[in-house]
Amino acid sequence: MTGPAPLLVVGDALLDHDLCGKAERLAPDAPVPVVGGVRRTTRPGGAALAAWLAAADGRDVTLVTALGRDPASERLGELLAGRVRVVGLPLRGTLSSKTRVLAEGRPMLRLDDGEGRAGDATEEARRAVADAGAVLVADYGRGSADVLSAVLAEAAGRAPVVWDPHPRGGAPVPGVRMVTPSATEARAFAARFGAGAGEEPDDPAGLRGAARDAGVLVDAWRAASVVVTLGGRGALLSHGGTPLMVPSPLTAEGDACGAGDRFAAAAAGALADGDLTETAVRAAVHAATRFVAEGGVRSLGTGSGAVPEPAGGPTDDALRTAARVRAAGGTVVAAGGCFDLLHAGHVALLQAARRSGDCLIVCVNSDASVRRRKGRGRPLVNVADRIRVLRALECVDGVAVFEEDTPEQLLGELRPHIWAKGGDYAMAPLPEAPLVASWGGQVVLFPYLDGRSTTGIAARAALRG
């Protein structure tokens, strides 16, 4: 199975800190909350966060950004070492850093420090852009994209370029494959071209306004598409005509900080892999929703500033997803099977299972395991393709492969709160039930669509052939 395609990220890196605690009283000398029991976390921010998230998808990622010799730049370099290759631009001033103060997970205050900007482009940076097969521009208005605009314009003529714009940054270069402003940003950008308007009373969801703004920006920026992100509702894709609404697969409440970077990194990665624009947007909506549901940026940093290693494959990614959801207090759901020919019965089970928790991990038999269970001639679809099809479902958050005939060993690593089975197992003993119960989990049966099976479908196809 071919791995994810490499990705070049160009933009302004930041260093982010969170101070998390509890606010249970007001200060005696002023009517302000006192945040106590503070725990400090540090992580990459801005374009560095987008690059790290792309690397966590298993990609080979290069980040072109401005770094100096100040303490914040050095700390960020330590965080990225071994995960992202950095091509530095000269930094004039000190690296920008953001510090959020949160109480019970809710932001109360943000402190910004450092106003450094990118200096001139270097030959190494220009060469990195010229050689890139796909580019994500994560513009945070501090000059990194501006000094490379000429070579980025050349790249847009031959490779997919995704541009995540910033109100203080420059316009995307002409010809980019996708621009990803938020609804608020899109309205402000469209207003610069005399086309913006305030909220309309008969457009409470803001979809008509977002569609209008996106259409204006497609023409003004000469972009192939503009995708307006709508927070928890999903995203609106416009090529200049009738837009496509891509809804979120579920309602994810939580810290949305970094969700835009997760969206842009996922969209750029999908385009790098050769996916169509519409497919890339769906993948990005799914990734951003899952990111928020799993705890957002707070799941990335630790007190020491270390961040988890990128995934080594789909199973590693699934295990890490389950761990993040569990750590954030969410419910992990798992389901298993061969999923040789994905049919309506499978989809109904997986959709129902996903609605019962905060993430769904699908445990899939390897090719050898399917062969032992189903006999010669099976599987009809190899495991790499089965993984790809399952991961394309919006209700699936991860896929893990097991080599054994039954998934007990994998379940012991995932430790799901719910092990989902189809209702056709209602009268059959479930050997994994005691194992799931050993860590407090529960086997749950879900309605099964009668008459659907891979074996039946294959038999009918053979008769018609």
Side-chain angles (χ1 to χ4, degrees), residues 5 36 52 94 168 228 251 269 279 282 351 425 434 443:
W52 189 91
T94 59
R168 295 192 298 176
V228 179
T251 301
T279 304
R282 288 191 176 92
Q351 289 175 331
Y425 283 90
V443 176

Side-chain angles (χ1 to χ4, degrees), residues 48-425:
L49 174 61
W52 189 91
L53 292 169
D57 291 334
R59 297 185 187 281
D60 179 7
V61 177
T62 299
L63 170 64
V64 177
T65 192
L67 292 176
R69 296 185 177 179
D70 56 287
S73 293
E74 292 177 356
R75 184 70 183 114
L76 180 60
E78 293 172 359
L79 292 175
L80 295 176
R83 300 176 176 87
V84 174
R85 174 177 172 252
V86 177
V87 174
L89 297 169
L91 179 68
R92 294 172 180 167
T94 59
L95 186 73
S96 298
S97 64
K98 298 184 303 180
T99 301
R100 299 191 306 166
V101 180
L102 302 96
E104 302 288 355
R106 295 182 179 275
M108 302 180 64
L109 178 69
R110 197 182 94 181
L111 307 174
D112 288 3
D113 185 34
E115 290 295 332
R117 291 187 60 83
D120 295 333
T122 64
E123 186 56 36
E124 183 183 12
R126 293 191 186 94
R127 189 166 56 251
V129 176
D131 293 342
V135 181
L136 166 61
V137 177
D139 187 5
Y140 275 77
R142 290 166 174 83
S144 295
D146 296 338
V147 301
L148 290 166
S149 60
V151 68
L152 286 169
E154 295 174 2
R158 59 169 180 78
V161 175
V162 173
W163 197 291
D164 192 10
H166 192 279
R168 295 192 298 176
V173 299
V176 299
R177 186 77 59 87
M178 184 188 299
V179 189
T180 61
S182 68
T184 301
E185 291 168 342
R187 183 177 302 129
F189 289 133
R192 297 179 185 179
F193 301 101
E199 294 185 5
E200 302 175 26
D202 58 344
D203 185 25
L207 294 182
R208 189 164 70 246
R212 178 201 58 229
D213 296 338
V216 167
L217 295 174
V218 166
D219 292 337
W221 285 336
R222 288 183 285 168
S225 68
V226 169
V227 181
V228 179
T229 57
L230 302 171
R233 290 178 292 154
L236 191 77
L237 166 63
S238 174
H239 296 284
T242 303
L244 172 69
M245 178 64 191
V246 180
S248 297
L250 61 121
T251 301
E253 297 182 359
D255 186 0
C257 177
D261 295 298
R262 174 67 280 191
F263 182 96
L271 292 177
D273 291 339
D275 289 341
L276 298 174
T277 301
E278 291 80 1
T279 304
V281 174
R282 288 191 176 92
V285 167
H286 188 83
T289 303
R290 183 173 64 187
F291 178 76
V292 174
E294 292 173 358
V297 291
R298 284 182 292 153
S299 68
L300 305 182
T302 70
S304 63
V307 289
E309 292 290 340
T315 299
D316 293 335
D317 180 59
L319 291 170
R320 195 174 66 247
T321 295
R324 282 201 301 261
V325 171
R326 188 180 297 105
T331 298
V332 178
V333 184
C338 299
F339 300 98
D340 197 0
L341 288 179
L342 193 68
H343 54 70
H346 292 143
V347 174
L349 169 64
L350 297 177
Q351 289 175 331
R354 180 60 178 83
R355 287 192 291 268
S356 68
D358 298 296
C359 78
L360 172 62
I361 307 300
V362 180
C363 304
V364 178
N365 297 72
S366 70
D367 290 346
S369 177
V370 174
R371 195 171 300 112
R372 289 193 300 269
R373 293 193 54 176
K374 303 293 185 178
R376 294 183 61 183
R378 299 285 298 274
L380 301 172
V381 179
N382 66 53
V383 71
D385 287 349
R386 287 185 281 137
I387 290 171
R388 184 166 187 175
V389 170
L390 285 165
R391 293 181 77 174
L393 295 178
E394 290 187 339
C395 59
V396 175
D397 298 287
V399 179
V401 179
F402 60 96
E403 297 288 342
E404 301 77 20
D405 291 348
T406 55
E408 280 89 345
Q409 180 176 335
L410 178 56
L411 284 174
E413 297 180 70
L414 282 171
R415 299 174 68 84
H417 299 92
I418 296 175
W419 176 235
K421 302 293 291 185
D424 55 330
Y425 283 90

